[in-house]
Structure formats: C-alpha cells, structure tokens
Amino acid sequence: MAEEARHRQSGRDLCVRRHPDTQVECVLPDTHYPGPHHALDGTTWHDGLCDECHGSGRREGEVCGGCRGGGFRLLEDQE
C-alpha cells in the first residue's frame, strides 16, 4: 500500500506496470500510453490485458497460468 501511495502523489503518478516475464517496472508517467513501457535498465515492452483471464489475474478460482496472476501479457504472446 505504501508503494501505491508513493506513486499516486500529485505530480508523481507513475505507470509502475511490471514486465510480465522479467518483472522490471515501468518508470514512465501514467500518461505514456499508447507508447511502450520503459524500465530503467532500457527494457521496453507493449502489453495488454491477458486474454485468458481478461485482466483479473485469476482463472477458474486459481492464479491464471497465462499472466501468472498479473493480469497483463506481452502483446506478441496473445496472438
């Protein structure tokens, strides 16, 4: 909860979406959409709601295997 509060301060609304595989965090402002996510290590990626759980992170009462509970998958993984 403290992490969310830190990112939701006035003038500091960061995306903080994590890469589905490496878990690096996007450091761009929330307003970067529809551009790609970008991490401090130079990683960039595009993601979207998981097509298996529709973004809930759960499927049939268990953690979704497609997104591992994160609710988002790399777009090229959803084809």
Side-chain angles (χ1 to χ4, degrees):
M1 191 69 167
E3 182 178 338
E4 182 179 340
R6 181 187 77 183
H7 294 296
R8 296 292 169 214
Q9 296 173 6
S10 179
R12 296 189 62 178
D13 289 345
L14 300 179
C15 174
V16 301
R17 179 95 47 86
R18 292 187 178 272
H19 187 284
D21 295 329
T22 64
Q23 294 300 303
V24 294
E25 193 174 84
C26 179
V27 296
L28 297 177
D30 255 350
T31 55
H32 77 84
Y33 299 107
H37 296 287
H38 185 87
L40 287 176
D41 68 0
T43 303
T44 60
W45 71 97
H46 284 280
D47 64 7
L49 286 178
C50 175
D51 56 346
E52 292 183 31
C53 67
H54 305 288
S56 72
R58 303 199 54 82
R59 189 169 171 222
E60 299 175 3
E62 298 183 9
V63 173
C64 176
C67 65
R68 294 183 224 112
F72 296 90
R73 291 176 66 179
L74 296 174
L75 290 180
E76 56 266 18
D77 286 350
Q78 295 190 36
E79 296 173 353

